[in-house]
Amino acid sequence: MTIERTLSIIKPDATARNITGKIISKFEDAGLRVVAQKRVHWSQAQAEKFYEVHKERPFYGDLVAFMTEAPISIQVLEGEGAIAKNREVMGATNPEDAAPGTVRAEFAENIERNSVHGSDSAENAAIEIALCFDEAEIVG
Ligand code: CMP
């Protein structure tokens, strides 16, 4: 295993319920380290850019509206196999399929309002981290 970095977002449904700390605890308990973090309220243009890869999907408009309805908390998580580990802790995209104890099983409201986002590959992690943070904001 190599040390990786991945991008994590705690979404508006979760920031609104004041459970960012509970979610971060799950990442830290799994051995992931928060090496960058910010709380922001995305504009429509920022959300559209971040989710550009999904722009042809039927849920794109709703997803952009959801991601701009309230603040989000964005992290860079670092650790051994961080990309896969983060996805394991998050659980399946649809909370109905998420394993017990995962973030989405415990906190997600539905497939769209699913509390967290995590990069799905090393390539996307690098793209998403660069989109959200300056190199100087990432401090291990
Ligand atoms: P995320 O990991 O942020 O990546 C894309 C997001 O689109 C996903 O989590 C969900 O919040 C949202 N989404 C809404 N509907 C769907 C769907 N049918 N399939 C996948 N993702 C969906």
Side-chain angles (χ1 to χ4, degrees), residues 11 51 54 57 59 63 93 104 111-112 114 116-118:
K11 296 184 177 182
Y51 281 115
H54 293 306
R57 308 283 288 274
F59 56 81
L63 177 60
T93 304
R104 284 166 171 158
I111 192 170
E112 178 174 280
N114 64 355
V116 280
H117 165 84

Side-chain angles (χ1 to χ4, degrees), residues 16-80:
R17 284 177 286 152
N18 206 25
I19 54 174
T20 58
K22 286 183 180 162
I23 293 173
I24 297 283
S25 281
K26 284 187 177 285
F27 296 143
E28 292 183 336
D29 289 348
L32 295 166
R33 176 175 290 271
V34 178
V35 295
Q37 180 156 234
K38 63 170 82 163
R39 185 174 172 102
V40 294
H41 194 151
W42 268 351
S43 67
Q44 174 149 340
Q46 285 174 300
E48 284 176 352
K49 175 90 182 135
F50 186 86
Y51 281 115
E52 204 168 17
V53 63
H54 293 306
K55 71 168 180 283
E56 305 303 333
R57 308 283 288 274
F59 56 81
Y60 180 66
D62 285 348
L63 177 60
V64 169
F66 164 54
M67 291 300 290
T68 56
E69 76 178 26
I72 57 175
S73 176
I74 313 179
Q75 299 81 37
V76 177
L77 302 177
E78 185 179 85
E80 279 201 6

Side-chain angles (χ1 to χ4, degrees), residues 100-111:
T102 60
V103 173
R104 284 166 171 158
E106 281 190 24
F107 301 121
E109 296 177 352
N110 54 51
I111 192 170

